Amino acid sequence: MTGSTPQATRRETVWTRGGDASTGAVTGAPSPGGLRERKKQRTRDALIRSALELFTAHGYEETTIDEIAEAVDVSQRTFFRYFASKEEVVFAVQEMVEARFIEELERRPSAEVPLEALHNAVMTSWDEIGDAIRTVIPLELHMRTYRMIESTPALVAAHLRRYSELEEQIARLVARREGLDVAADPRPRVVVAAFSGVMRVAGKVWGEGEDVSVESIRRITEEYLAQIVPAVSGDWPRRGA
């Protein structure tokens, strides 16, 4: 995407990685390249799952890269072929979620105003992302990982940094949809900041609750997003009314 940071570019590649090829001639057997790509994908997914299991069970700081590699029966060198650091593993599945949201936002009808497009994109993403996550890790582990991030100071800082980069990517996308110059018109960044702030609050409320299901985070997100317009328009019921 235009205006993407290196991190955002890496995020966008998540959904195009590892395409399978097929000879399709007589037997339809996968080509050697396709087999290699699937094996690489299985190794990557195994590293993600093992890392997140270890992080959520023993703590992010306490878990070493050697322990992650050993759990998958690969070398530390193999780990670094897939990930540059432990932090990158933590956010690997989240990058899938973000990439799916960006995809959906790009597909929203041009008639939808920015806040409506953002709202509908995130709701549609929550409807579909479960199956995508399950190809890598159980949903329950994804939810535990979210809570682990929120309780680990180093990861909270990384999460906020990544969120800032994502906000800029989304603002540029909104500006492009509206035919605006994001550097000259503040409205794309303003609406994305409001949207992102509500998403963070909804995530915090969900993380503090007992229900860690996708249905729960979707319901809370819907409830909180619906309050943006009434809150900023001053449509607040008087106390005691």
Side-chain angles (χ1 to χ4, degrees):
M1 290 188 59
T2 58
S4 297
T5 63
Q7 292 89 341
T9 301
R10 191 165 61 239
R11 213 170 288 143
E12 291 162 6
T13 63
V14 171
W15 290 89
T16 58
R17 190 183 52 244
D20 296 336
S22 173
T23 61
V26 178
T27 63
S31 70
L35 290 171
R36 281 195 298 269
E37 288 303 317
R38 283 196 292 274
K39 183 177 179 182
K40 286 167 62 178
Q41 189 64 53
R42 285 195 297 270
T43 300
R44 186 180 189 278
D45 291 350
L47 285 167
I48 293 172
R49 180 166 182 166
S50 294
L52 297 184
E53 289 284 8
L54 289 167
F55 293 152
T56 56
H58 305 296
Y60 173 75
E61 302 288 357
E62 291 73 17
T63 301
T64 67
I65 289 174
D66 282 335
E67 289 172 331
I68 298 168
E70 183 179 351
V72 184
D73 198 23
V74 298
S75 66
Q76 185 187 89
R77 183 177 178 181
T78 297
F79 174 91
F80 284 116
R81 287 178 189 155
Y82 293 91
F83 302 102
S85 63
K86 291 195 300 180
E87 179 184 304
E88 195 170 297
V89 184
V90 170
F91 294 105
V93 175
Q94 185 61 31
E95 286 185 352
M96 292 174 59
V97 175
E98 293 163 359
R100 179 67 191 85
F101 168 74
I102 292 292
E103 272 188 350
E104 184 56 38
L105 181 58
E106 289 179 322
R107 287 203 294 259
R108 298 312 305 170
S110 59
E112 292 182 352
V113 296
L115 189 57
E116 181 184 10
L118 290 165
H119 174 279
N120 291 339
V122 77
M123 288 298 105
T124 302
S125 297
W126 277 120
D127 286 339
E128 301 174 359
I129 197 63
D131 289 338
I133 293 173
R134 287 188 193 97
T135 65
V136 183
I137 59 172
L139 279 173
E140 181 270 338
L141 177 56
H142 177 57
M143 303 309 182
R144 279 194 286 131
T145 299
Y146 184 92
R147 288 182 166 182
M148 183 269 298
I149 291 171
E150 290 295 307
S151 62
T152 306
L155 293 178
V156 170
H159 185 49
L160 291 175
R161 183 186 69 245
R162 293 180 67 260
Y163 222 92
S164 177
E165 294 165 357
L166 182 64
E167 284 179 355
E168 181 64 16
Q169 183 184 0
I170 296 170
R172 289 179 180 275
L173 175 53
V174 168
R176 189 167 71 244
R177 280 173 49 92
E178 299 300 313
L180 302 174
D181 179 358
V182 74
D185 193 320
R187 288 176 296 175
R189 288 190 174 116
V190 169
V191 73
V192 170
F195 169 80
S196 297
V198 171
M199 292 296 294
R200 284 197 295 269
V201 171
K204 185 175 185 295
V205 170
W206 169 80
E208 293 171 349
E210 297 297 324
D211 186 351
V212 296
S213 66
V214 171
E215 291 74 18
S216 174
I217 183 61
R218 191 190 187 287
R219 175 180 50 77
I220 294 171
T221 300
E222 178 79 60
E223 178 185 345
Y224 275 70
L225 285 176
Q227 297 303 314
I228 292 181
V229 173
V232 300
S233 67
D235 184 16
W236 293 41
R238 296 295 181 185
R239 282 180 290 182

